């Protein structure tokens, strides 16, 4: 086998320009090589769909002990299912997935759909609103905080805590440094202050506490798991709801297709996740020398798996830039793949399916005006989305 000289690029994955133009930059990297070394991040980026999926399916080689791009955060995350490998990962994941099982989701469906329809009805009556604050943020925050059992004035503090935690998954740049004290409040509460009695009876948070009391997991793991759900259980869902509103407005023929056939709601969500991946890059660390496409990534290297690049890889998806809700790209990487596939995806799907179904049922047409992006090291959220010219269904 002939080993290629590694392709390199001066791109910084976490620069403002890349955060604003992620898909275009990822396309450049993807066409440069299947693996590209970035000196600015001291990282080896894997750019193409099949290679990313293979890496996600090989946790023995691509360890999750470096999901973040700084050592301080990787140490903090040690002991969570997000940043652990087998066999430890299985035990931690089980506590999380037991409370987010398909059976548990089925019990929640009617209530979540009812709340989604009520919210959409109120927003349609308004006629114009901020798609982020009034829908994308409001809905999942209320659902997740109820699910965890967070009560009182703490509910107002959770969202900024979660966003700060995501900034800390990148390098220790200015965004991460500014987020440290905010994310530290979340860590302090979940690991030092929170008790089972602080969480509502029957909630997932209370159930996890009781698992720690029984000895199924350590009390330290209890804090980590709740921390993980609160930090990650809202922000990616919020980002995806905002992306759905923008994509459907900018592709009105696709929104009309959804209106005519609401059964396309699940396929519409997969296409949103494919075209605008909410967490476009995740970290890993190699446990051995590994060859991809003729390039050897050395043992102990920081790797960036570019989910957002794989989801737009023309080697996998025909006309990948086209937003087509009938594509039904169920094998997208928006929720990851393998043992670390998003544990909360069942809940995220319920929330977003409920909103999209209500939106397609109650809205005939709408338009987005000004759309403002918010820069985050790990997610790609909007700060605001102006929803205008909304015509209710039946008019």
């Amino acid at each position: 086998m002939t080993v290629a000289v590694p392709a390199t690029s001066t791109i910084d994955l976490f620069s403002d320009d890349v955060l604003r133009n992620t898909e275009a930059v990822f396309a450049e990297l993807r066409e440069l090589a299947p693996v590209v070394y970035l000196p600015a991040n001291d990282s080896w980026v894997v750019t193409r769909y099949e290679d990313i999926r293979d890496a996600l399916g090989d946790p023995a080689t691509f360890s999750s002990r470096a999901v973040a791009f700084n050592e301080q955060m990787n140490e903090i995350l040690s002991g969570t299912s997000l940043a652990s490998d087998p066999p430890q990962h299985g035990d931690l994941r089980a506590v999380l997935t037991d409370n987010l099982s398909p059976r548990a989701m089925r019990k929640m469906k009617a209530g979540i759909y009812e709340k989604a329809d009520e919210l959409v009805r109120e927003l349609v009556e308004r006629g114009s609103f901020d798609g982020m604050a009034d829908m994308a943020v409001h809905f999942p925050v209320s659902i997740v905080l109820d699910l965890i059992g967070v009560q009182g004035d703490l509910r107002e503090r959770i969202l900024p805590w979660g966003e700060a935690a995501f900034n800390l998954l990148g390098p220790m740049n200015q965004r991460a440094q500014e987020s440290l004290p905010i994310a530290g409040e979340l860590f302090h509460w979940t690991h030092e202050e929170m008790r089972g009695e602080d969480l509502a009876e029957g909630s997932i948070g209370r159930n996890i506490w009781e698992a720690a009391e029984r000895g199924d997991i350590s009390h330290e793991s209890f804090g980590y798991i709740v921390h993980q759900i609160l930090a990650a259980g809202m922000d990616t869902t919020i980002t995806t709801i905002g992306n759905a509103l923008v994509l459907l407005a900018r592709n009105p023929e696709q929104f009309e297709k959804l209106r005519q056939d609401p059964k396309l709601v699940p396929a519409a969500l997969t296409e949103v996740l494919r075209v605008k991946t909410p967490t476009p890059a995740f970290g890993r660390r190699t446990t051995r020398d590994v060859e991809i496409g003729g390039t050897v990534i050395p043992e102990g290297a920081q790797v960036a798996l570019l989910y957002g690049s794989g989801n737009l890889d023309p080697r996998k998806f025909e006309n990948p830039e086209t937003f087509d809700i009938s594509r039904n790209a169920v094998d997208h990487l928006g929720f990851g793949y393998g043992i670390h596939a998003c544990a909360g995806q069942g809940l995220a799907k319920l929330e977003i399916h409920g909103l999209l179904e209500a939106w397609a049922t109650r809205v005939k047409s709408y338009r987005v005006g000004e759309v403002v992006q918010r820069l985050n090291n790990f997610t790609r959220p909007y700060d605001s989305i102006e929803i205008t010219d909304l015509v209710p269904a039946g008019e």
Side-chain angles (χ1 to χ4, degrees), residues 23 63 92 99 109 120 132 141 166 189 235 237 241 247 255-256 282 294 298 354 362 385:
E23 288 81 15
S63 169
L92 293 169
N99 290 280
K109 181 176 180 179
V120 169
M132 288 303 295
V141 166
F166 269 110
W189 179 65
D235 289 71
T237 303
I241 293 169
L247 285 167
F255 182 56
E256 182 60 24
F282 255 92
R362 291 189 175 275
I385 301 170

Side-chain angles (χ1 to χ4, degrees), residues 219-285:
H219 278 283
E220 183 182 32
S221 292
F222 161 71
Y224 280 128
I225 293 169
V226 173
H227 184 172
Q228 184 177 334
I229 296 173
L230 289 173
M234 294 182 297
D235 289 71
T236 52
T237 303
I238 289 167
T239 298
T240 301
I241 293 169
N243 288 338
L245 285 173
V246 171
L247 285 167
L248 289 169
R250 290 177 175 171
N251 297 272
E253 78 289 349
Q254 297 299 311
F255 182 56
E256 182 60 24
K257 189 185 296 186
L258 186 63
R259 288 187 64 245
Q260 295 301 322
D261 185 6
K263 292 187 182 66
L264 286 172
V265 161
L269 173 56
T270 65
E271 188 68 347
V272 170
L273 288 163
R274 187 190 67 81
V275 172
K276 295 288 288 184
T277 307
T279 50
F282 255 92
R284 292 290 190 271
R285 176 162 292 134

Side-chain angles (χ1 to χ4, degrees), residues 1-81:
M1 178 185 70
T2 301
V3 177
V5 175
T8 62
S9 171
T10 59
I11 286 170
D12 175 358
L13 285 180
F14 304 96
S15 69
D16 289 4
D17 180 64
V18 172
L19 300 188
R20 291 191 181 99
N21 302 284
T22 299
E23 288 81 15
V25 173
F26 280 12
E28 177 185 335
L29 290 170
R30 187 173 59 244
E31 297 314 308
L32 177 60
V35 175
V36 181
Y37 178 67
L38 304 183
N41 308 119
D42 191 19
S43 295
W44 300 73
V45 298
V46 182
T47 67
R48 297 176 185 174
Y49 178 91
E50 293 296 343
D51 297 324
I52 296 166
R53 188 177 167 105
D54 287 347
L56 290 171
D58 184 7
T61 300
F62 293 89
S63 169
S64 292
R65 297 188 185 278
V67 291
F69 290 81
N70 69 85
E71 285 307 308
Q72 183 177 347
M73 196 61 186
N74 284 325
E75 289 178 11
I76 290 171
L77 288 171
S78 177
T80 68
S81 63

